[in-house]
């Protein structure tokens, strides 16, 4: 987990969007087994890691290769407006989805207007 | 030879100059940031989603592996046309479906098309494909006559 370990990683492309009460992060990590995902909070940083199997099954001799066979890693800095204790993760068809709840004070408040 | 064929599909929301500026800025962020983002050319040069593809060969079959994360079964198809394997489909943009605020859109949407010229003839009727964890794997058994055969050699003495 050191930043400068010299290990090579793929930085997965992400979409980040916001709803009224959540921040939703989607990260593409194709070819990763669900059991080899690691999601960690370290102070303000949220780490997502996808480890490839130690020994990938033999596919034969490579004729043409474009897929980099490294682990996936990405780090996000979380602001104070999120609730760090409420992060929900799911993994579907190679896409990791994190739902991070906003802190109460960051949620939009509906203001009741009293009509005279 | 049409091993790599890419289609045109530009990111819809940015003009060329803005895109260039963003790419340069992304590049400097990328080289200096503690939070690296993927470095890729967002359609400036090629303008296409071209999924990464591997091709392997062993004595019985060819195997094509394509990264297609987050697709549904009906969003892509694989077909064999003679000596060419074609993988194509479309990932629909979620931003059109959900009216939510996006901070980052790095995932690529739209159509893709890959065509691979197969190095040896395959038996199209026995091709098998599976999709797991966002990866499509197509196994194409070689035609019988192209498999290596041991030919017994008899030496005739005169």
């Amino acid at each position: 987990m050191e930043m400068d370990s010299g290990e090579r990683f793929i930085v997965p492309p992400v979409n980040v969007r916001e709803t009224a009460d959540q921040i939703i992060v989607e990260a593409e990590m194709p070819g990763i087994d669900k059991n080899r995902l690691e999601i960690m909070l370290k102070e303000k940083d949220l780490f997502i890691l996808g480890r490839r199997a130690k020994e990938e099954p033999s596919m034969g001799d490579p004729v043409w290769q474009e897929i980099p066979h490294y682990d996936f890693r990405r780090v996000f800095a979380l602001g104070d407006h999120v609730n760090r204790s409420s992060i929900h993760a799911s993994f579907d068809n190679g896409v990791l989805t994190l739902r991070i709840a906003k802190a109460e004070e960051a949620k939009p408040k509906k203001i009741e207007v009293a009509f005279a | 030879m049409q091993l790599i064929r890419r289609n045109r599909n530009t990111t819809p929301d940015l003009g060329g100059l803005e895109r260039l500026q963003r790419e340069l800025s992304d590049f400097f962020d990328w080289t200096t940031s503690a939070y690296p983002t993927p470095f890729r050319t967002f359609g400036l040069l090629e303008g296409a989603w071209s999924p990464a593809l591997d091709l392997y060969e062993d004595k019985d079959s060819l195997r094509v592996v394509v990264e297609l994360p987050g697709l549904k079964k009906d969003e892509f198809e694989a077909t064999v046309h003679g000596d060419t394997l074609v993988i194509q489909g479309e990932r629909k943009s979620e931003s059109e479906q959900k009216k939510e605020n996006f901070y980052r859109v790095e995932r690529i949407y739209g159509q893709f098309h890959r065509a691979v010229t197969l190095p040896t003839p395959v038996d199209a009727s026995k091709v098998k494909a599976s999709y797991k964890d966002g990866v499509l794997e197509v196994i194409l058994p070689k035609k019988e006559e192209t498999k290596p055969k041991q030919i017994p050699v008899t030496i005739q003495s005169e």
Side-chain angles (χ1 to χ4, degrees), chain B residues 24-117:
Chain B
L24 284 172
S25 145
D26 281 355
F27 177 75
F28 286 111
D29 287 350
W30 180 71
T31 51
T32 55
S33 172
Y35 303 99
T37 57
F39 179 66
R40 47 168 78 186
T41 54
F42 278 94
L44 190 68
L45 301 172
E46 285 151 358
W49 176 25
S50 182
L53 179 151
D54 284 357
L55 170 62
Y56 300 89
E57 176 173 9
D58 64 18
K59 67 183 197 333
D60 298 319
S61 54
L62 301 172
R63 193 182 294 252
V64 173
V65 180
V66 194
E67 289 191 331
L68 296 169
L71 287 185
K72 297 180 188 72
K73 259 191 186 146
D74 58 352
E75 287 179 328
F76 65 98
E77 59 175 30
T79 42
V80 177
H81 304 269
D83 67 347
T84 306
L85 170 70
V86 174
I87 294 144
Q88 59 188 336
E90 181 173 8
R91 180 151 65 195
K92 306 258 177 4
S93 170
E94 282 185 58
S95 57
E96 287 167 14
Q97 298 159 15
K98 295 177 190 167
K99 299 266 184 289
E100 290 173 321
N101 298 323
F102 276 83
Y103 289 110
R104 269 185 179 279
V105 181
E106 294 169 358
R107 300 183 62 199
I108 303 174
Y109 294 89
Q111 291 180 2
F112 62 90
H113 178 112
R114 292 296 310 258
V116 185
T117 302

Side-chain angles (χ1 to χ4, degrees), chain A residues 16-19 45 63 74, chain B residues 35 55 57 100 103 106:
Chain A
V16 182
R17 65 181 200 266
E18 179 178 1
T19 67
D45 289 341
V63 179
R74 190 137 185 191
Chain B
Y35 303 99
L55 170 62
E57 176 173 9
E100 290 173 321
Y103 289 110
E106 294 169 358

Side-chain angles (χ1 to χ4, degrees), chain A:
Chain A
M1 193 46 88
E2 294 303 310
M3 288 303 284
D4 297 305
S5 58
E7 216 180 325
R8 295 188 68 175
F9 293 99
I10 305 163
V11 181
V14 300
N15 283 3
V16 182
R17 65 181 200 266
E18 179 178 1
T19 67
D21 50 7
Q22 287 181 324
I23 307 286
I24 300 168
V25 178
E26 293 168 349
E28 290 186 352
M29 300 160 100
I32 297 295
D33 185 283
K34 191 168 87 177
N35 299 316
R36 298 187 63 84
L37 282 170
E38 296 169 27
I39 300 156
M40 284 188 289
L41 262 176
K42 198 174 159 190
E43 290 162 30
K44 272 188 187 288
D45 289 341
L46 174 68
F47 290 80
I48 58 176
L49 272 109
R51 302 269 187 203
R52 293 195 188 267
K54 282 272 183 296
E55 282 180 24
E56 297 191 330
S58 172
M59 297 275 189
D61 300 325
V63 179
W64 179 269
Q65 273 192 302
E66 297 168 354
I67 301 174
H69 289 263
Y70 300 114
D71 295 343
F72 289 89
R73 185 176 79 166
R74 190 137 185 191
V75 190
F76 301 93
L78 295 183
D80 293 327
H81 59 294
V82 300
N83 180 353
R84 283 209 249 295
S85 58
S86 173
I87 299 176
H88 176 265
S90 59
F91 191 66
D92 195 23
N93 288 340
V95 179
L96 170 69
T97 304
L98 296 177
R99 294 171 180 275
I100 308 165
K102 288 189 194 172
E104 273 310 313
E105 60 272 19
K107 291 180 186 172
K109 301 272 181 311
K110 192 176 177 189
I111 297 161
E112 295 296 331
V113 178
F115 288 92

